[in-house]
Amino acid sequence: MFDLNTEWSISFAGCGFMGIYYVGVISCILERFPRFVQDASKIYGASAGALMAAVVTLGIPLDKCCTDLMHMAKEARKHKLGPLHPAYNLLQLVQESLLEKLPEDAHVRVSGKLCLSLTRVSDGKNLLVSQFDSRDELIQALICSCFVPLYCGVVPPTYRGVYYVDGAVSDNLPRCQLGRTVTVSPYAGESDLCPRASTLTFHEVRFNNVSIHVNPENLYRVTSTFFPPEPEAMAEICQNGFLDALRFLQENDLISSEAPQTGLRSDAAKHACCELMQDSGQSKAGRRDHLWLDPKLTQNLPADLQRVLCKACRETHTAGGLLTHITEYLPKKVTSYLAFDSTRSVAQRVRGWIPDVPRDISWLFGLDANKQALTERLEYKTSRPRLRRCTSLPSDLHLCGKKEEMNAFLESPEGPPSSSNASSGTGEATMKSPPSEGRGWALGRVMGLLQNLGSSKMSDPK
């Protein structure tokens, strides 16, 4: 049983686009037992969990967060490669949302309570940040906590002059080992507040402190983390978060007596998302023909969230008509996509990256010492190998010596032994160095041996 007389903390796991699950969770908690998040001593978060932790700490309206999240997912689904397309910049969308939603004194209100998980690039260690000197510093820390390497870019962002990446790389569920920390995760596992597995589970995987059961449902959730599903599926995930939070509060006897106790809403709230259709004067039969979203997928959510999800589904349904699907694969469409859209996207990325080129280049190549070491290694690989000294030569004679020194050695009295016997009968012979310095001594010795043999035959009494 959960004890409210002692301090407790909340920790949100990183989950990408599955953050829509947290929207449903927090909406249920704020409606049924808001003290659970308001009186928490610490609120931890990594990646998308860090964004939700900031939203909860600051009390930002959930319908605005849901609108931004559905917009990010919509922009990603526009492209063939989804979030991996060059035209899609997830961190830019996140930064624009933070600049719009965070108040000017956000850093003052969250310091000491909000704890963000970051991963330092230099050594890969985890860092929990809870003190912020300015609003821009808070936004930069949130951006660093959401930067997935290669998925969001190549050069990581900086926080206080140090490069950091996604906190999920080192600790995806901060302080989960503490007994008074309530862990929240959108993956079925051993977290305190998470979905329950409805299929057979064969194994459990722990990804940086996050428990994930190996089953088809979690496989779909992991895929949806990086590639957003359709709006109808995201609406269902949001409602599942609401129901899981409701079950958690009931199991721990945390439901406030002042809040409504029913798990399902009335019929009046079921069709709150259809107010636009009611204003247009359509009939009840037309309202029942809800083609873009099944009302049962959002019937438990608050009315403001229902309207946001319904609008997102309706826009997608309208844009995805038959004519759009037919013309999507025409050669003109494909040619325009390859020739214009991709070029424009790359140009936008390059234009946005140009102001940070000096800083990024210095990070990629490191310090001057690393540059010098790299240059020396390149010179070593490209230089010609040195000639080794011949072991058969005397120690005083080097192959790479000067030509004059070689000739002086061959003509000196201490030269080869054959030079002393060169004048026996045939006159004095002068040895000259051949053009090849490495063969001069050997040739002179051979000539001396031949002269010795000739003189010995002439002196033979035979």
Side-chain angles (χ1 to χ4, degrees), residues 183-224:
T183 56
V184 187
S185 171
Y187 312 108
E190 302 301 326
S191 300
D192 297 323
L193 202 167
C194 66
R196 286 184 175 177
S198 59
T199 59
L200 183 62
T201 300
F202 299 98
H203 188 64
E204 177 191 5
V205 176
R206 284 195 171 270
F207 174 72
N208 294 333
N209 296 328
V210 177
S211 173
I212 304 177
H213 289 165
V214 180
N215 53 42
E217 294 176 347
N218 273 342
L219 180 61
Y220 171 77
R221 296 185 181 107
V222 172
T223 304
S224 301

Side-chain angles (χ1 to χ4, degrees), residues 261-371:
Q261 297 295 324
T262 57
L264 301 178
R265 299 179 180 273
S266 60
D267 294 337
K270 288 183 181 180
H271 300 284
C273 60
C274 301
E275 291 180 357
L276 295 176
M277 299 181 63
Q278 294 175 3
D279 295 338
S280 62
Q282 296 186 13
S283 62
K284 295 182 179 180
R287 291 196 299 270
R288 287 196 299 266
D289 192 14
H290 209 264
L291 297 178
W292 55 87
L293 177 63
D294 185 0
K296 294 182 180 180
L297 298 179
T298 59
Q299 62 184 357
N300 299 312
L301 296 174
D304 52 353
L305 293 182
Q306 288 189 30
R307 283 190 288 269
V308 172
L309 296 173
C310 181
K311 181 180 178 181
C313 296
R314 187 179 182 182
E315 292 175 352
T316 305
H317 181 80
T318 304
L322 179 61
L323 182 61
T324 303
H325 288 289
I326 292 176
T327 59
E328 185 177 5
Y329 300 100
L330 293 178
K332 183 178 179 180
K333 179 76 173 180
V334 176
T335 304
S336 175
Y337 175 79
L338 295 177
F340 175 73
D341 188 54
S342 298
T343 304
R344 178 176 58 86
S345 303
V346 174
Q348 290 177 353
R349 283 292 185 92
V350 172
R351 185 183 63 181
W353 182 58
I354 285 177
D356 298 330
V357 165
R359 176 179 61 86
D360 296 341
I361 292 298
S362 63
W363 177 81
L364 288 174
F365 286 94
L367 302 176
D368 294 336
N370 295 335
K371 293 182 182 179

Side-chain angles (χ1 to χ4, degrees), residues 71-72 86-99 139 143 147 152 348-349 351-352:
H71 173 69
M72 296 176 191
Y88 186 76
N89 192 338
L90 178 59
L91 290 185
Q92 182 178 357
L93 296 176
V94 173
Q95 186 175 13
E96 292 175 355
S97 176
L98 293 174
L99 290 173
I139 294 176
I143 294 297
F147 183 87
C152 295
Q348 290 177 353
R349 283 292 185 92
R351 185 183 63 181

